[in-house]
Amino acid sequence: MKLLIVLFLFLAAFSLEAKPLETVMYVDLARYQGTWHEIASIPQFFQRKCVKDTTAEYTVLSREEIRVLNSCTTEKDERIVAEGRGKVVEPKTNAKLKVTFANFKDKYIYLLAGNYWIIKLDDDYQIAVVGHPTRKYGWILSRTPGIPDDTLADLTRFLEDRDYDTCDFFTTPQEGGLTEKRKLCDIGK
C-alpha cells in the first residue's frame, strides 16, 4: 500500500511538470536584427545595474551567428554595454539560439551560453517574446520603447498560457514608454 501511495505521488508530481516550451515556426534573422527595447523581463544578475532604457541590438554575422549588443542606463545615469554572440542551434526554425557573453581572447565560449528561444514574434517583427525552457528567464521586446496597454495585457496572458509566473516579470522603464518598474502581474489591476 505504501508503495502505491509513493508511486501515485511520484506520478502526480511528474504530471504537474510544465509542458514543453514551444518556439515560433520560423525566424528570418535578417528581419529580426536591429534594435529591440526591453518592455519587461525576469530580472537577472547580469542586469542588476540596469534601471531604465534597456535595449538589445542584433546583427547577423553569418547564417548561424549573430552579434548581441545589450545596453542600459544605470542609477548613476551611465550607459553600460555588453557584447556577446548568439549561435543558432536549430537551423530549421532559427528560433532557438545559444547566447554567450563569455569572451576569451576574442573567442566566444558557447559552453557558457544560455538558451534564447523566440516563443512569440508578430508578423511585422515589431514585438517578440523570448523565453527559456525552465521559465526562469524571459523578455518582452519591442521595436519601440512603448507598447499599447492592451498589447501588454495580451502578452501577459500569452506568458501565463505558457506556464510563466507573470509576477516574476518586471516592466522596464523606457524613455517614451513605461515610466516605472512594476510586476507584470499587477499591470491593469
Side-chain angles (χ1 to χ4, degrees), residues 66 86-89 94-99 114-118:
I66 61 172
K87 185 178 201 176
V88 174
V89 295
N94 290 336
K96 291 182 181 180
L97 295 94
K98 290 281 191 181
V99 174
N115 289 316
Y116 180 104
W117 290 11
I118 302 167

Side-chain angles (χ1 to χ4, degrees), residues 8-18:
F8 175 76
L9 291 174
F10 174 76
L11 290 174
F14 183 72
S15 67
L16 292 176
E17 188 175 297

Side-chain angles (χ1 to χ4, degrees), residues 13-38:
F14 183 72
S15 67
L16 292 176
E17 188 175 297
K19 58 189 170 214
L21 188 62
E22 293 185 23
T23 64
V24 297
M25 297 292 283
Y26 181 75
V27 178
D28 178 344
L29 293 178
R31 289 183 68 198
Y32 194 80
Q33 72 180 342
T35 301
W36 292 88
H37 300 267
E38 182 182 280

Side-chain angles (χ1 to χ4, degrees), residues 20-119:
L21 188 62
E22 293 185 23
T23 64
V24 297
M25 297 292 283
Y26 181 75
V27 178
D28 178 344
L29 293 178
R31 289 183 68 198
Y32 194 80
Q33 72 180 342
T35 301
W36 292 88
H37 300 267
E38 182 182 280
I39 301 302
S41 70
I42 297 173
Q44 300 299 314
F45 74 93
F46 50 82
Q47 291 181 293
R48 65 190 172 279
K49 293 182 181 179
C50 298
V51 295
K52 64 180 182 174
D53 299 328
T54 301
T55 61
E57 184 179 336
Y58 304 110
T59 307
V60 175
L61 299 176
S62 70
R63 288 170 114 181
E64 64 243 356
E65 191 172 47
I66 61 172
R67 175 180 179 242
V68 179
L69 196 61
N70 288 346
S71 60
C72 68
T73 301
T74 68
E75 200 169 277
K76 295 180 180 179
D77 213 31
E78 298 171 335
R79 198 82 181 140
I80 56 174
V81 177
E83 184 173 341
R85 292 291 182 272
K87 185 178 201 176
V88 174
V89 295
E90 192 175 87
K92 183 179 176 185
T93 67
N94 290 336
K96 291 182 181 180
L97 295 94
K98 290 281 191 181
V99 174
T100 184
F101 292 89
N103 184 336
F104 183 71
K105 295 185 178 182
D106 292 328
K107 297 272 187 198
Y108 285 89
I109 304 167
Y110 285 100
L111 281 173
L112 302 174
N115 289 316
Y116 180 104
W117 290 11
I118 302 167
I119 61 175

